[in-house]
Amino acid sequence: MALWGGRFSDGPADALFALSRSVQFDWVLAPYDLRSSLVHLSILEKAGLVQLNDGASIRAGLMELRSEVASGSFLPIESDEDVHSALERGLTEKLGTLGGALRAGRSRNDQVATDLRLFTIDQLLEVGKSVIKLQIALLHKSKDYVDAPAPGFTHLQHAQPIVFGHELAKHAHALQRDTARIQSWYARSRTSPMGAGALSGSSLALDPVASAHALGFSFAYANSVDAVSDRDFLVEALFILALIGSHLSRMGEEWCLWSSTEFGWAKLADAYATGSSIMPQKKNPDIAELARGKAGRLIGNLTSVLAMLKGLPFAYNRDLQEDKEPLFDSFSTLNLVLPAFTGMVETTIFDRQKMAKAAPTGFSLATEIADYLVKKGTPFAQAHEVAGKCVHLCEQRGIELHELSDSDLTNIHPALKPDVREVLSVEGALASRTTFGGTAPAAVVDQINTLLEAVAVSHDWFYSESNQFSGMMGA
């Protein structure tokens, strides 16, 4: 049923209705809309705006409707404009004109803003839980390879040897920042728009603070105009989702490289790879590639909402209908990618021998020569130059650094003694990197254990808040 029309002499044109209709995508807000309706009903009862016997009938109708929505037995029809009109139709079908009593003191403007906040809180907590599962998978895999030497890369060129567990764990640290952003967003976004009405509040005796607390929010809005027009919380959520997608994309790129024939480091489990319809030998890293591709979609959703918001004047504008599909799509996208990516990480096996063989290649131990000279009092700029000359001579002769003769070393620089070969080993290079956050195996074990402790705290927080929120939604 239409929620407006009294001042119109004719109904909307079919083209207008088709353009305006949003129930085909905003129906996902139905559980949240019903929850806010139950709270609004309580406020109307306390204010004496709905009699208790009528309130009992409306509450019973809402509870019945909630069960029907959950089971799928109540769905929108072609004549429903949006989730709000569909649910009011359902209520009036049960209660007659009494079903329209809930419209007192509220507008679709504050209604949808409230529903969106509830939805985003619910979904972002779920994403946080999925991110934590991926973190745990990465850290356990990191522990498996904390003693596995591998080349470290900058500019896609061999840089210095590291342990492979260190390489894997870096992604868990990035994801830890993502979960911290969700927690920060959660504290900042628990403000209820309910009671703001169309834009100016209400002349009825409503209680926005009580509504906020009943819905699980920390605060009520401070400005009713801002309450119905604010979508900062939504943009921030889209940014967090886009950044998680970007982190997954970076991981996906590395998995694609590691599983290539040229690297040959990673063996993907059959259950987390695909084949080719024409080339029988192929084993493709589709999960990694799809994660990489879908990051663009997540970034695009953020950009589209920012562009839509940039010129909106005053309070609510219908442009804001365009905030929902990008948000819903971003959550749907990550909810598909995260479990598949986690499974891929958990089941990938890495080739220790190939990584170890590659670790010293590309003269990745040259920095050890420079550090050796610095410890003997040579300024680093000069030590860097000397190490470069060592590399140049090796390239000319087709040998490795440790194969330079004693006379070669002395001719390049008198401070280069035969004992420099003691640092020209992968094991020695790794063991020496003991600075905080460095790649020495013992240091990496400490890093992993410390982060696992932090992840355990995050895990408990997300599950506690999610359970509490689910309890509020079911109240």
Short mmCIF file of all heavy atoms in Angstrom, two decimals, residues 212-268:
data_model
loop_
_atom_site.label_atom_id
_atom_site.label_comp_id
_atom_site.label_asym_id
_atom_site.label_seq_id
_atom_site.Cartn_x
_atom_site.Cartn_y
_atom_site.Cartn_z
N ALA A 212 16.70 4.55 21.41
CA ALA A 212 18.10 4.22 21.10
C ALA A 212 18.58 3.06 21.96
O ALA A 212 19.16 2.09 21.48
CB ALA A 212 18.98 5.44 21.28
N HIS A 213 18.36 3.16 23.26
CA HIS A 213 18.83 2.12 24.17
C HIS A 213 18.11 0.80 23.94
O HIS A 213 18.73 -0.27 24.02
CB HIS A 213 18.66 2.60 25.61
CG HIS A 213 19.56 3.74 25.97
ND1 HIS A 213 19.31 4.59 27.02
CD2 HIS A 213 20.69 4.20 25.38
CE1 HIS A 213 20.27 5.51 27.09
NE2 HIS A 213 21.11 5.29 26.10
N ALA A 214 16.83 0.86 23.63
CA ALA A 214 16.07 -0.37 23.38
C ALA A 214 16.57 -1.09 22.14
O ALA A 214 16.49 -2.32 22.05
CB ALA A 214 14.59 -0.05 23.23
N LEU A 215 17.10 -0.34 21.17
CA LEU A 215 17.62 -0.94 19.95
C LEU A 215 19.08 -1.35 20.06
O LEU A 215 19.64 -1.91 19.11
CB LEU A 215 17.44 0.04 18.78
CG LEU A 215 16.01 0.21 18.27
CD1 LEU A 215 15.92 1.41 17.33
CD2 LEU A 215 15.54 -1.05 17.57
N GLY A 216 19.71 -1.06 21.18
CA GLY A 216 21.11 -1.42 21.36
C GLY A 216 22.08 -0.35 20.95
O GLY A 216 23.30 -0.58 20.90
N PHE A 217 21.60 0.86 20.63
CA PHE A 217 22.48 1.97 20.32
C PHE A 217 23.00 2.59 21.62
O PHE A 217 22.37 2.48 22.68
CB PHE A 217 21.76 3.04 19.51
CG PHE A 217 21.40 2.63 18.11
CD1 PHE A 217 20.07 2.42 17.75
CD2 PHE A 217 22.38 2.45 17.16
CE1 PHE A 217 19.73 2.04 16.46
CE2 PHE A 217 22.06 2.07 15.86
CZ PHE A 217 20.73 1.87 15.51
N SER A 218 24.11 3.29 21.52
CA SER A 218 24.68 3.97 22.69
C SER A 218 24.08 5.36 22.88
O SER A 218 23.99 5.85 24.02
CB SER A 218 26.20 4.10 22.54
OG SER A 218 26.80 2.83 22.43
N PHE A 219 23.70 6.02 21.78
CA PHE A 219 23.25 7.41 21.85
C PHE A 219 22.06 7.62 20.91
O PHE A 219 21.85 6.85 19.97
CB PHE A 219 24.38 8.37 21.41
CG PHE A 219 25.69 8.12 22.09
CD1 PHE A 219 26.70 7.43 21.43
CD2 PHE A 219 25.92 8.56 23.39
CE1 PHE A 219 27.92 7.19 22.04
CE2 PHE A 219 27.14 8.33 24.01
CZ PHE A 219 28.13 7.64 23.35
N ALA A 220 21.32 8.67 21.16
CA ALA A 220 20.34 9.18 20.20
C ALA A 220 20.99 10.34 19.44
O ALA A 220 21.96 10.94 19.91
CB ALA A 220 19.09 9.66 20.91
N TYR A 221 20.45 10.62 18.25
CA TYR A 221 20.97 11.71 17.44
C TYR A 221 20.95 13.02 18.23
O TYR A 221 20.10 13.23 19.11
CB TYR A 221 20.12 11.87 16.17
CG TYR A 221 18.68 12.23 16.49
CD1 TYR A 221 18.29 13.55 16.65
CD2 TYR A 221 17.72 11.23 16.69
CE1 TYR A 221 16.99 13.88 16.98
CE2 TYR A 221 16.41 11.56 17.02
CZ TYR A 221 16.05 12.88 17.16
OH TYR A 221 14.76 13.21 17.49
N ALA A 222 21.89 13.93 17.90
CA ALA A 222 21.91 15.25 18.55
C ALA A 222 21.24 16.31 17.69
O ALA A 222 20.90 17.38 18.19
CB ALA A 222 23.36 15.66 18.83
N ASN A 223 21.04 16.00 16.40
CA ASN A 223 20.44 16.97 15.48
C ASN A 223 19.57 16.17 14.52
O ASN A 223 20.06 15.31 13.79
CB ASN A 223 21.56 17.72 14.73
CG ASN A 223 21.03 18.73 13.73
OD1 ASN A 223 20.36 18.38 12.76
ND2 ASN A 223 21.36 20.00 13.94
N SER A 224 18.27 16.47 14.50
CA SER A 224 17.34 15.64 13.74
C SER A 224 17.55 15.76 12.23
O SER A 224 17.29 14.81 11.49
CB SER A 224 15.90 15.99 14.10
OG SER A 224 15.62 17.35 13.83
N VAL A 225 18.02 16.92 11.77
CA VAL A 225 18.30 17.07 10.33
C VAL A 225 19.47 16.19 9.94
O VAL A 225 19.44 15.46 8.94
CB VAL A 225 18.58 18.55 9.97
CG1 VAL A 225 18.84 18.69 8.47
CG2 VAL A 225 17.43 19.45 10.41
N ASP A 226 20.51 16.24 10.76
CA ASP A 226 21.68 15.40 10.52
C ASP A 226 21.31 13.92 10.61
O ASP A 226 21.83 13.09 9.85
CB ASP A 226 22.77 15.73 11.55
CG ASP A 226 24.02 14.90 11.39
OD1 ASP A 226 24.57 14.84 10.28
OD2 ASP A 226 24.46 14.30 12.39
N ALA A 227 20.41 13.59 11.51
CA ALA A 227 20.05 12.19 11.74
C ALA A 227 19.54 11.51 10.47
O ALA A 227 19.87 10.36 10.20
CB ALA A 227 19.00 12.09 12.84
N VAL A 228 18.72 12.20 9.68
CA VAL A 228 18.12 11.57 8.51
C VAL A 228 18.98 11.69 7.26
O VAL A 228 18.75 10.97 6.28
CB VAL A 228 16.71 12.14 8.23
CG1 VAL A 228 15.79 11.87 9.40
CG2 VAL A 228 16.76 13.63 7.90
N SER A 229 19.97 12.60 7.28
CA SER A 229 20.80 12.80 6.09
C SER A 229 22.19 12.20 6.22
O SER A 229 22.88 12.01 5.21
CB SER A 229 20.94 14.30 5.78
OG SER A 229 21.52 14.99 6.87
N ASP A 230 22.59 11.87 7.43
CA ASP A 230 23.95 11.35 7.66
C ASP A 230 24.10 9.95 7.09
O ASP A 230 23.31 9.05 7.40
CB ASP A 230 24.24 11.33 9.17
CG ASP A 230 25.51 10.55 9.49
OD1 ASP A 230 26.47 10.63 8.70
OD2 ASP A 230 25.52 9.85 10.52
N ARG A 231 25.12 9.77 6.26
CA ARG A 231 25.50 8.44 5.79
C ARG A 231 27.00 8.21 5.99
O ARG A 231 27.59 7.34 5.35
CB ARG A 231 25.13 8.26 4.32
CG ARG A 231 23.63 8.23 4.04
CD ARG A 231 22.93 7.06 4.70
NE ARG A 231 21.51 6.98 4.33
CZ ARG A 231 20.53 7.61 4.96
NH1 ARG A 231 20.81 8.39 6.01
NH2 ARG A 231 19.28 7.47 4.57
N ASP A 232 27.58 8.99 6.90
CA ASP A 232 29.01 8.78 7.18
C ASP A 232 29.28 7.35 7.62
O ASP A 232 30.28 6.73 7.21
CB ASP A 232 29.49 9.74 8.28
CG ASP A 232 29.52 11.19 7.85
OD1 ASP A 232 29.15 11.47 6.69
OD2 ASP A 232 29.91 12.04 8.66
N PHE A 233 28.40 6.83 8.46
CA PHE A 233 28.60 5.47 8.96
C PHE A 233 28.64 4.46 7.82
O PHE A 233 29.39 3.49 7.84
CB PHE A 233 27.48 5.10 9.95
CG PHE A 233 26.15 4.81 9.30
CD1 PHE A 233 25.77 3.51 9.00
CD2 PHE A 233 25.28 5.84 8.99
CE1 PHE A 233 24.55 3.25 8.40
CE2 PHE A 233 24.05 5.59 8.39
CZ PHE A 233 23.69 4.29 8.08
N LEU A 234 27.82 4.72 6.80
CA LEU A 234 27.74 3.80 5.66
C LEU A 234 28.99 3.91 4.79
O LEU A 234 29.54 2.90 4.35
CB LEU A 234 26.47 4.13 4.87
CG LEU A 234 26.02 3.15 3.79
CD1 LEU A 234 24.50 3.17 3.68
CD2 LEU A 234 26.63 3.51 2.44
N VAL A 235 29.45 5.14 4.57
CA VAL A 235 30.66 5.34 3.77
C VAL A 235 31.87 4.73 4.48
O VAL A 235 32.71 4.07 3.85
CB VAL A 235 30.89 6.84 3.49
CG1 VAL A 235 32.24 7.06 2.83
CG2 VAL A 235 29.78 7.39 2.60
N GLU A 236 31.95 4.94 5.78
CA GLU A 236 33.06 4.35 6.53
C GLU A 236 33.03 2.83 6.45
O GLU A 236 34.06 2.18 6.32
CB GLU A 236 33.00 4.78 7.99
CG GLU A 236 33.50 6.19 8.25
CD GLU A 236 33.68 6.43 9.75
OE1 GLU A 236 34.52 5.76 10.37
OE2 GLU A 236 32.96 7.28 10.31
N ALA A 237 31.84 2.26 6.54
CA ALA A 237 31.72 0.81 6.41
C ALA A 237 32.17 0.35 5.04
O ALA A 237 32.91 -0.65 4.91
CB ALA A 237 30.27 0.38 6.67
N LEU A 238 31.76 1.07 3.99
CA LEU A 238 32.18 0.71 2.64
C LEU A 238 33.69 0.83 2.49
O LEU A 238 34.32 0.03 1.78
CB LEU A 238 31.49 1.61 1.61
CG LEU A 238 30.02 1.28 1.33
CD1 LEU A 238 29.39 2.38 0.47
CD2 LEU A 238 29.88 -0.07 0.66
N PHE A 239 34.28 1.83 3.14
CA PHE A 239 35.75 1.96 3.09
C PHE A 239 36.42 0.77 3.76
O PHE A 239 37.38 0.20 3.22
CB PHE A 239 36.20 3.26 3.78
CG PHE A 239 37.69 3.31 4.02
CD1 PHE A 239 38.56 3.50 2.97
CD2 PHE A 239 38.22 3.10 5.29
CE1 PHE A 239 39.94 3.51 3.16
CE2 PHE A 239 39.58 3.11 5.50
CZ PHE A 239 40.44 3.32 4.44
N ILE A 240 35.93 0.38 4.92
CA ILE A 240 36.50 -0.78 5.61
C ILE A 240 36.39 -2.03 4.74
O ILE A 240 37.36 -2.80 4.59
CB ILE A 240 35.81 -1.00 6.96
CG1 ILE A 240 36.13 0.15 7.93
CG2 ILE A 240 36.22 -2.34 7.59
CD1 ILE A 240 35.28 0.16 9.18
N LEU A 241 35.23 -2.22 4.13
CA LEU A 241 35.03 -3.39 3.27
C LEU A 241 35.94 -3.33 2.05
O LEU A 241 36.50 -4.35 1.62
CB LEU A 241 33.57 -3.47 2.84
CG LEU A 241 32.54 -3.63 3.97
CD1 LEU A 241 31.12 -3.57 3.42
CD2 LEU A 241 32.75 -4.92 4.75
N ALA A 242 36.11 -2.14 1.48
CA ALA A 242 36.99 -1.99 0.32
C ALA A 242 38.44 -2.26 0.69
O ALA A 242 39.20 -2.86 -0.09
CB ALA A 242 36.84 -0.59 -0.27
N LEU A 243 38.85 -1.81 1.88
CA LEU A 243 40.23 -2.04 2.29
C LEU A 243 40.48 -3.52 2.59
O LEU A 243 41.55 -4.05 2.26
CB LEU A 243 40.56 -1.18 3.51
CG LEU A 243 42.04 -1.08 3.89
CD1 LEU A 243 42.90 -0.69 2.69
CD2 LEU A 243 42.23 -0.09 5.03
N ILE A 244 39.50 -4.19 3.19
CA ILE A 244 39.63 -5.63 3.37
C ILE A 244 39.77 -6.30 2.00
O ILE A 244 40.61 -7.17 1.79
CB ILE A 244 38.40 -6.21 4.11
CG1 ILE A 244 38.39 -5.71 5.57
CG2 ILE A 244 38.42 -7.74 4.09
CD1 ILE A 244 37.11 -6.06 6.31
N GLY A 245 38.95 -5.85 1.04
CA GLY A 245 39.05 -6.39 -0.31
C GLY A 245 40.40 -6.13 -0.94
O GLY A 245 40.96 -7.00 -1.64
N SER A 246 40.97 -4.97 -0.69
CA SER A 246 42.30 -4.65 -1.20
C SER A 246 43.36 -5.56 -0.58
O SER A 246 44.28 -6.02 -1.27
CB SER A 246 42.63 -3.18 -0.91
OG SER A 246 43.90 -2.83 -1.40
N HIS A 247 43.22 -5.83 0.71
CA HIS A 247 44.16 -6.75 1.36
C HIS A 247 44.03 -8.16 0.80
O HIS A 247 45.03 -8.85 0.58
CB HIS A 247 43.93 -6.75 2.87
CG HIS A 247 44.35 -5.48 3.54
ND1 HIS A 247 43.73 -4.98 4.66
CD2 HIS A 247 45.33 -4.58 3.22
CE1 HIS A 247 44.32 -3.85 5.02
NE2 HIS A 247 45.28 -3.59 4.16
N LEU A 248 42.80 -8.59 0.56
CA LEU A 248 42.59 -9.91 -0.05
C LEU A 248 43.19 -9.95 -1.46
O LEU A 248 43.75 -10.96 -1.88
CB LEU A 248 41.10 -10.23 -0.10
CG LEU A 248 40.41 -10.49 1.23
CD1 LEU A 248 38.89 -10.59 1.03
CD2 LEU A 248 40.93 -11.76 1.89
N SER A 249 43.07 -8.84 -2.18
CA SER A 249 43.61 -8.77 -3.53
C SER A 249 45.12 -8.91 -3.52
O SER A 249 45.70 -9.61 -4.37
CB SER A 249 43.20 -7.44 -4.18
OG SER A 249 43.70 -7.35 -5.49
N ARG A 250 45.78 -8.25 -2.58
CA ARG A 250 47.24 -8.38 -2.47
C ARG A 250 47.62 -9.83 -2.18
O ARG A 250 48.56 -10.37 -2.79
CB ARG A 250 47.77 -7.49 -1.34
CG ARG A 250 47.77 -6.01 -1.64
CD ARG A 250 48.58 -5.28 -0.56
NE ARG A 250 49.97 -5.71 -0.57
CZ ARG A 250 50.81 -5.50 0.46
NH1 ARG A 250 50.41 -4.90 1.55
NH2 ARG A 250 52.07 -5.91 0.37
N MET A 251 46.91 -10.46 -1.26
CA MET A 251 47.18 -11.86 -0.98
C MET A 251 46.93 -12.72 -2.21
O MET A 251 47.70 -13.63 -2.52
CB MET A 251 46.30 -12.34 0.18
CG MET A 251 46.75 -11.89 1.55
SD MET A 251 45.72 -12.61 2.85
CE MET A 251 44.57 -11.27 3.13
N GLY A 252 45.83 -12.44 -2.90
CA GLY A 252 45.49 -13.20 -4.09
C GLY A 252 46.57 -13.10 -5.15
O GLY A 252 46.91 -14.11 -5.79
N GLU A 253 47.13 -11.93 -5.33
CA GLU A 253 48.21 -11.75 -6.30
C GLU A 253 49.41 -12.62 -5.94
O GLU A 253 50.01 -13.27 -6.81
CB GLU A 253 48.60 -10.27 -6.37
CG GLU A 253 49.83 -9.97 -7.22
CD GLU A 253 49.58 -10.14 -8.71
OE1 GLU A 253 48.45 -10.45 -9.10
OE2 GLU A 253 50.55 -9.98 -9.48
N GLU A 254 49.75 -12.65 -4.66
CA GLU A 254 50.89 -13.48 -4.25
C GLU A 254 50.59 -14.96 -4.45
O GLU A 254 51.46 -15.72 -4.90
CB GLU A 254 51.26 -13.17 -2.80
CG GLU A 254 51.86 -11.78 -2.64
CD GLU A 254 52.19 -11.43 -1.20
OE1 GLU A 254 52.03 -12.30 -0.31
OE2 GLU A 254 52.63 -10.30 -0.96
N TRP A 255 49.38 -15.39 -4.13
CA TRP A 255 49.03 -16.80 -4.32
C TRP A 255 49.09 -17.17 -5.81
O TRP A 255 49.53 -18.26 -6.16
CB TRP A 255 47.65 -17.09 -3.74
CG TRP A 255 47.71 -18.02 -2.56
CD1 TRP A 255 47.49 -19.37 -2.56
CD2 TRP A 255 48.01 -17.68 -1.19
NE1 TRP A 255 47.64 -19.89 -1.28
CE2 TRP A 255 47.96 -18.88 -0.43
CE3 TRP A 255 48.33 -16.49 -0.54
CZ2 TRP A 255 48.21 -18.91 0.94
CZ3 TRP A 255 48.57 -16.51 0.81
CH2 TRP A 255 48.51 -17.71 1.55
N CYS A 256 48.67 -16.24 -6.67
CA CYS A 256 48.76 -16.50 -8.11
C CYS A 256 50.22 -16.68 -8.54
O CYS A 256 50.55 -17.58 -9.33
CB CYS A 256 48.14 -15.34 -8.90
SG CYS A 256 46.33 -15.26 -8.79
N LEU A 257 51.09 -15.82 -8.04
CA LEU A 257 52.51 -15.92 -8.39
C LEU A 257 53.12 -17.20 -7.83
O LEU A 257 53.82 -17.93 -8.55
CB LEU A 257 53.27 -14.69 -7.87
CG LEU A 257 52.97 -13.36 -8.56
CD1 LEU A 257 53.61 -12.21 -7.79
CD2 LEU A 257 53.47 -13.37 -10.00
N TRP A 258 52.88 -17.47 -6.56
CA TRP A 258 53.49 -18.63 -5.92
C TRP A 258 53.06 -19.94 -6.55
O TRP A 258 53.81 -20.92 -6.56
CB TRP A 258 53.15 -18.65 -4.43
CG TRP A 258 53.80 -17.56 -3.64
CD1 TRP A 258 54.97 -16.92 -3.91
CD2 TRP A 258 53.31 -16.97 -2.42
NE1 TRP A 258 55.25 -15.97 -2.94
CE2 TRP A 258 54.23 -15.98 -2.02
CE3 TRP A 258 52.17 -17.18 -1.64
CZ2 TRP A 258 54.07 -15.22 -0.86
CZ3 TRP A 258 52.00 -16.43 -0.49
CH2 TRP A 258 52.94 -15.46 -0.10
N SER A 259 51.82 -19.99 -7.06
CA SER A 259 51.33 -21.24 -7.65
C SER A 259 51.66 -21.37 -9.13
O SER A 259 51.33 -22.38 -9.76
CB SER A 259 49.80 -21.35 -7.44
OG SER A 259 49.12 -20.29 -8.09
N SER A 260 52.31 -20.35 -9.71
CA SER A 260 52.68 -20.42 -11.12
C SER A 260 53.82 -21.40 -11.33
O SER A 260 54.58 -21.74 -10.40
CB SER A 260 53.09 -19.03 -11.63
OG SER A 260 54.31 -18.63 -11.01
N THR A 261 53.98 -21.86 -12.56
CA THR A 261 55.07 -22.78 -12.88
C THR A 261 56.42 -22.11 -12.64
O THR A 261 57.38 -22.76 -12.19
CB THR A 261 54.96 -23.22 -14.36
OG1 THR A 261 53.69 -23.85 -14.56
CG2 THR A 261 56.08 -24.19 -14.73
N GLU A 262 56.49 -20.81 -12.93
CA GLU A 262 57.77 -20.10 -12.78
C GLU A 262 58.23 -20.09 -11.32
O GLU A 262 59.42 -20.25 -11.04
CB GLU A 262 57.63 -18.67 -13.31
CG GLU A 262 57.62 -18.55 -14.82
CD GLU A 262 56.38 -19.14 -15.46
OE1 GLU A 262 55.32 -19.23 -14.78
OE2 GLU A 262 56.45 -19.51 -16.65
N PHE A 263 57.31 -19.86 -10.38
CA PHE A 263 57.67 -19.93 -8.96
C PHE A 263 57.64 -21.39 -8.51
O PHE A 263 58.63 -21.88 -7.97
CB PHE A 263 56.67 -19.12 -8.12
CG PHE A 263 57.08 -17.70 -7.88
CD1 PHE A 263 56.91 -16.74 -8.87
CD2 PHE A 263 57.61 -17.31 -6.67
CE1 PHE A 263 57.27 -15.43 -8.64
CE2 PHE A 263 57.98 -16.00 -6.43
CZ PHE A 263 57.81 -15.04 -7.42
N GLY A 264 56.50 -22.00 -8.65
CA GLY A 264 56.36 -23.40 -8.23
C GLY A 264 56.46 -23.59 -6.73
O GLY A 264 56.84 -24.67 -6.26
N TRP A 265 56.11 -22.55 -5.96
CA TRP A 265 56.23 -22.67 -4.50
C TRP A 265 54.97 -23.27 -3.87
O TRP A 265 55.07 -23.95 -2.86
CB TRP A 265 56.45 -21.29 -3.88
CG TRP A 265 57.76 -20.66 -4.16
CD1 TRP A 265 58.73 -21.08 -5.03
CD2 TRP A 265 58.25 -19.45 -3.58
NE1 TRP A 265 59.78 -20.22 -5.03
CE2 TRP A 265 59.52 -19.20 -4.14
CE3 TRP A 265 57.74 -18.56 -2.65
CZ2 TRP A 265 60.30 -18.10 -3.79
CZ3 TRP A 265 58.49 -17.45 -2.29
CH2 TRP A 265 59.77 -17.23 -2.85
N ALA A 266 53.81 -22.94 -4.42
CA ALA A 266 52.55 -23.26 -3.76
C ALA A 266 51.82 -24.37 -4.52
O ALA A 266 51.67 -24.31 -5.74
CB ALA A 266 51.65 -22.02 -3.67
N LYS A 267 51.35 -25.35 -3.77
CA LYS A 267 50.49 -26.40 -4.32
C LYS A 267 49.10 -26.22 -3.73
O LYS A 267 48.89 -26.36 -2.52
CB LYS A 267 51.04 -27.79 -3.98
CG LYS A 267 50.19 -28.92 -4.54
CD LYS A 267 50.77 -30.28 -4.17
CE LYS A 267 49.89 -31.40 -4.72
NZ LYS A 267 50.42 -32.73 -4.35
N LEU A 268 48.15 -25.88 -4.59
CA LEU A 268 46.78 -25.65 -4.14
C LEU A 268 46.05 -26.98 -4.00
O LEU A 268 46.24 -27.90 -4.80
CB LEU A 268 46.03 -24.77 -5.14
CG LEU A 268 46.62 -23.39 -5.43
CD1 LEU A 268 45.76 -22.67 -6.46
CD2 LEU A 268 46.73 -22.56 -4.16
#
